[in-house]
Amino acid sequence: MSRAVFRSLVHRITAHPDMPLTYTASCVSCAWKAEPSADGEAVDVQCMGHSGRSNHRQFTRTVTGRAFVVREGEDPKPPAP
């Protein structure tokens, strides 16, 4: 007879400390896209400038970052990719 042992570990997901967030935006009315930036306000300013020139007023904004999972008892440093 064989036996299986199951155990649960506490996991948490956390932001990667060496990878900054990247902010992007694109116009819903045309193909315009903001230059990606680590500064969200800079992307918002680009959107307002586009809106002022084109009167397009709706944008899709995206924030992209990298995260990793840490198991209970492990070193909280991110693993190598």
Side-chain angles (χ1 to χ4, degrees):
M1 170 165 52
S2 63
R3 291 177 44 178
V5 177
F6 294 96
R7 63 186 177 120
S8 71
L9 293 173
V10 175
H11 293 71
R12 64 184 170 88
I13 191 163
T14 186
H16 196 293
D18 300 329
M19 304 294 286
L21 296 175
T22 301
Y23 296 86
T24 59
S26 59
C27 180
V28 173
S29 301
C30 70
W32 178 88
K33 293 184 180 197
E35 288 292 322
S37 175
D39 181 1
E41 288 184 22
V43 171
D44 289 347
V45 168
Q46 291 179 61
C47 291
M48 289 187 281
H50 176 71
S51 181
R53 289 186 299 278
S54 65
N55 200 29
H56 297 166
R57 297 190 286 168
Q58 291 191 45
F59 300 89
T60 301
R61 298 189 302 177
T62 305
V63 180
T64 305
R66 183 171 291 180
F68 66 101
V69 173
V70 178
R71 292 184 185 129
E72 184 177 310
E74 285 186 337
D75 186 1
K77 293 182 183 174

